[in-house]
Amino acid sequence: QVQLVESGGDSVQAGRSLTLSCTVSGVEIGLRCMGWFRQGPGKEREGVSAIDRDGATGYTDSVQGRFVISRDMNKNTLFLQMNSLKPEDTAMYYCAAVSLCGEVGLGNGLRSPSAFPWTFATWGQGTQVTVSS
């Protein structure tokens, strides 16, 4: 059984950095496309970033150039380094895993968890990030 556990969420001031972690069990992360999604107060869940099995990455426009997704195969852990945080980054951040992303999963499919391939994802419970101005 695949399980995802997020950690690293915190309350920080705008402009600071924070790194989220997602520890994976039940499958090697190199055999999955891994993604980060977030859901802000009163908003729908949206994709943030993803990394496919071959290492290809995708980012939503609002975090491009500020966030970096990475993975540690030895620790079977996914990371999201978030720099230059803004109040609008405040959200619950979720880790997700699917079999394969391809161009769709790293691009347009990243916009929504109900879009292919993320509609078939396994999800973590989330970690809260709060950014104050």
Side-chain angles (χ1 to χ4, degrees), residues 6-67:
E6 302 94 333
S7 62
D10 203 352
S11 295
V12 297
Q13 289 189 325
R16 303 298 289 270
S17 297
L18 199 61
T19 299
L20 305 182
S21 300
C22 173
T23 302
V24 181
S25 60
V27 68
E28 295 181 13
I29 60 172
L31 299 180
R32 291 291 184 270
C33 176
M34 303 296 300
W36 287 100
F37 285 72
R38 67 185 180 185
Q39 187 165 10
K43 298 181 180 180
E44 295 186 352
R45 193 174 297 190
E46 62 176 359
V48 175
S49 181
I51 181 166
D52 213 342
R53 296 190 295 188
D54 62 358
T57 60
Y59 297 89
T60 193
D61 290 345
S62 62
V63 306
Q64 181 75 47
R66 297 190 298 124
F67 291 11

Side-chain angles (χ1 to χ4, degrees), residues 5 19-20 23 33 37-38 41 46 51 55-56 64 76 87 92 103-104 107 113 116 120 122 125 127 131:
V5 179
T19 299
L20 305 182
T23 302
C33 176
F37 285 72
R38 67 185 180 185
E46 62 176 359
I51 181 166
Q64 181 75 47
N76 220 39
M92 183 72 79
E103 290 187 7
V104 172
F116 180 86
F120 300 103
T122 298
Q125 294 300 307
T127 186
V131 184

Side-chain angles (χ1 to χ4, degrees), residues 50-114:
I51 181 166
D52 213 342
R53 296 190 295 188
D54 62 358
T57 60
Y59 297 89
T60 193
D61 290 345
S62 62
V63 306
Q64 181 75 47
R66 297 190 298 124
F67 291 11
V68 179
I69 191 170
S70 64
R71 59 190 178 181
D72 186 325
M73 303 291 201
N74 292 326
K75 296 182 178 179
N76 220 39
T77 300
L78 178 73
F79 300 100
L80 184 68
Q81 181 179 343
M82 305 184 294
N83 302 314
S84 302
L85 282 163
K86 303 175 181 180
E88 50 263 44
D89 294 318
T90 294
M92 183 72 79
Y93 282 73
Y94 298 90
C95 177
V98 292
S99 295
L100 182 67
C101 277
E103 290 187 7
V104 172
L106 299 179
N108 289 333
L110 194 58
R111 294 180 181 178
S112 170
S114 61

